Amino acid sequence: MKRTERVNNILKNFDKKSYRKDLIHWFKEEQRILPWRENQDPYRVWVSEIMLQQTRVDTVIPYFNHFMDKFPTPDALAQADEQEVLKAWEGLGYYSRARNLQNAVREVVSEYDGVVPADPEELGSLKGVGPYTRGAILSIAYDIPDPAVDGNVMRVLSRILRVEDDISKQSARKLFEELVKELISEEDPSSFNQGLMELGALVCTPKTPSCMLCPVQEHCRAFDEGVETELPVKASKKKQKKSPYLLLLVQNEKGEVLIEQRPDTGLLASLWQYPMVPLEDVGQEAVENWFYGEYGLKVKVGESVKRIKHVFSHLIWEMEVIKVTVKEGTLDHERATFIAPENMEDFPFPVSHQKAHPYINR
């Protein structure tokens, strides 16, 4: 069955006009007061949408306010040093978001005179601006009816329309984008898209939806048939790989701490960290020899002071924090440096390594 035909079948006998009206009315009455909703500035909308990917609203608010204070305009962000941007993002995770955002904003400044484009193709061609972010910016900032479909929206519409497609599949996302195109308000696409997002965040939550408080309950097929907790359908994720490490707090005779910058690409790119010994490749007894080979320093491994477990979407770091002192040698590692403990705040660290900061001798 063609997707258009499928969309028509799903929406058959569904009162689109009434659903639209009820959702928008509820959103205008009940929406949360959030800093990025103060106006329709497309740059603010863009920054907020990137920050909100994979991150809770309560966590994002102080980061957003701080980020906008530091980089209030596209020009300010475009001209900033990448390390300064990563420092402002420190703790939010998924750091490629920050790098992609800055690269895309630089393109906006150079190609569009600092004005975020309102053209769907131009906006969608920017680095890190996928269909969801594009739809959010166009609808919220420019009142252009464009679907903004993420996991929240797919969950809501899976229940409202009783769609049993696996939402982890790209084909399901395409289907929901087509459904939103049919449902979205032409007059107020901003409130419609934000209403769907807000409904998913506050009412139509993943495990225990608050159906009795739902403003569109009378339109919900899943509620009507008592299957709201069975939707959406989503295939289970692959099991995360566990990777054991020693995290080394290395200090020299001056009390300076050894830190290193991660590679420019890949996981946590360009952030700073303490040296990590991959225990899958190096035995505990060989750490001092391994360290000499990697860094050109002879060291003495001391006590274990903490265990840190950090969960990424695809793997888990299990790290034992070990204190280490330098005995002799000259540092020989192009991405590593010794710094005074009081200067730690100048360098962006991932959350996993920030947890080791208190164990530095100061």
Side-chain angles (χ1 to χ4, degrees):
M1 189 188 291
K2 287 185 180 172
R3 191 179 292 135
T4 310
E5 197 180 332
R6 178 104 195 276
V7 167
N8 290 337
N9 279 347
I10 291 169
L11 294 176
K12 193 176 177 183
N13 301 323
F14 185 77
D15 190 343
K16 293 186 279 188
K17 188 176 177 183
S18 177
Y19 170 74
R20 206 178 284 139
K21 179 168 161 280
D22 290 346
L23 180 66
I24 290 173
H25 175 75
W26 171 79
F27 176 71
K28 288 187 166 176
E29 292 286 317
E30 301 294 335
Q31 63 174 299
R32 290 169 292 180
I33 297 168
L34 299 171
W36 46 88
R37 288 180 178 162
E38 287 172 7
N39 56 46
Q40 287 182 285
D41 178 352
Y43 172 63
R44 289 171 67 89
V45 173
W46 187 2
V47 171
S48 71
E49 289 299 337
I50 298 297
M51 285 189 168
L52 287 163
Q53 291 167 14
Q54 311 287 335
T55 312
R56 292 167 57 88
V57 167
D58 291 349
T59 303
V60 166
I61 290 171
Y63 279 94
F64 176 82
N65 288 332
H66 175 62
F67 198 89
M68 296 311 298
D69 284 344
K70 279 189 80 67
F71 317 113
T73 63
D75 277 319
L77 182 57
Q79 290 168 23
D81 182 78
E82 185 189 82
Q83 288 286 296
E84 193 183 357
V85 176
L86 290 173
K87 185 67 185 173
W89 206 273
E90 184 182 57
L92 265 183
Y94 300 94
Y95 294 90
S96 59
R97 295 182 297 174
R99 281 185 294 274
N100 288 341
L101 174 63
Q102 187 180 30
N103 287 333
V105 166
R106 283 175 173 159
E107 193 177 335
V108 165
V109 169
S110 64
E111 300 296 321
Y112 304 105
D113 296 323
V115 178
V116 179
D119 176 86
E121 275 190 36
E122 291 174 348
L123 185 58
S125 71
L126 297 171
K127 184 95 172 167
V129 178
Y132 169 77
T133 307
R134 184 198 68 197
I137 295 169
L138 290 176
S139 61
I140 297 169
Y142 291 121
D143 288 310
I144 295 169
D146 200 54
V149 172
D150 65 354
N152 251 343
V153 169
M154 288 194 285
R155 180 176 66 252
V156 170
L157 290 180
S158 287
R159 290 169 176 165
I160 296 287
L161 300 170
R162 194 172 177 176
V163 175
E164 297 184 4
D165 294 43
D166 179 353
I167 66 167
S168 64
K169 292 186 175 172
Q170 189 61 25
S171 58
R173 184 177 293 272
K174 295 280 185 196
L175 173 64
F176 283 109
E177 284 173 356
E178 293 300 320
L179 287 166
V180 172
K181 281 179 187 174
E182 294 295 317
L183 292 170
I184 196 167
S185 165
E186 298 283 328
E187 294 78 31
D188 192 356
S190 172
S191 294
F192 180 86
N193 273 350
Q194 289 187 90
L196 273 181
M197 298 170 196
E198 198 82 336
L199 194 66
L202 301 181
V203 178
C204 199
T205 50
K207 288 185 177 149
T208 49
S210 305
C211 297
M212 294 303 136
L213 302 175
C214 181
V216 290
Q217 184 211 90
E218 67 180 80
H219 305 279
C220 184
R221 292 170 179 169
F223 175 77
D224 188 49
E225 294 164 36
V227 294
E228 66 275 4
T229 56
E230 294 168 31
L231 292 168
V233 173
K234 188 176 184 183
S236 55
K237 290 180 182 175
K238 290 180 186 170
K239 203 169 179 185
Q240 294 148 311
K241 179 181 180 243
K242 290 184 179 178
S243 297
Y245 291 96
L246 296 183
L247 185 156
L248 305 182
L249 299 179
V250 181
Q251 293 189 263
N252 61 18
E253 73 282 354
K254 296 180 192 168
E256 295 171 325
V257 188
L258 184 64
I259 63 172
E260 63 186 8
Q261 190 172 29
R262 290 181 65 86
D264 296 332
T265 57
L267 182 68
L268 305 175
S270 302
L271 295 180
W272 292 79
Q273 66 175 27
Y274 301 107
M276 293 169 68
V277 184
L279 291 177
E280 286 172 338
D281 304 321
V282 181
Q284 292 257 17
E285 72 290 342
V287 168
E288 291 178 359
N289 285 339
W290 174 87
F291 194 86
Y292 181 69
E294 291 287 319
Y295 297 89
L297 295 169
K298 291 191 174 175
V299 296
K300 178 171 177 50
V301 172
E303 63 177 328
S304 170
V305 292
K306 185 173 177 62
R307 288 185 179 274
I308 295 170
K309 179 179 176 181
H310 193 78
V311 180
F312 296 94
S313 56
H314 60 298
L315 82 153
I316 297 170
W317 278 356
E318 294 181 329
M319 301 186 294
E320 185 176 2
V321 181
I322 306 284
K323 289 198 167 191
V324 174
T325 50
V326 177
K327 293 198 294 188
E328 59 180 286
T330 304
L331 179 63
D332 181 17
H333 190 293
E334 62 178 16
R335 298 184 73 85
T337 186
F338 279 102
I339 63 163
E342 58 267 25
N343 295 335
M344 298 287 286
E345 285 300 311
D346 297 338
F347 297 82
F349 281 79
V351 169
S352 52
H353 284 245
Q354 289 177 41
K355 291 173 184 173
H357 285 350
Y359 299 93
I360 291 291
N361 293 333
R362 295 175 189 269

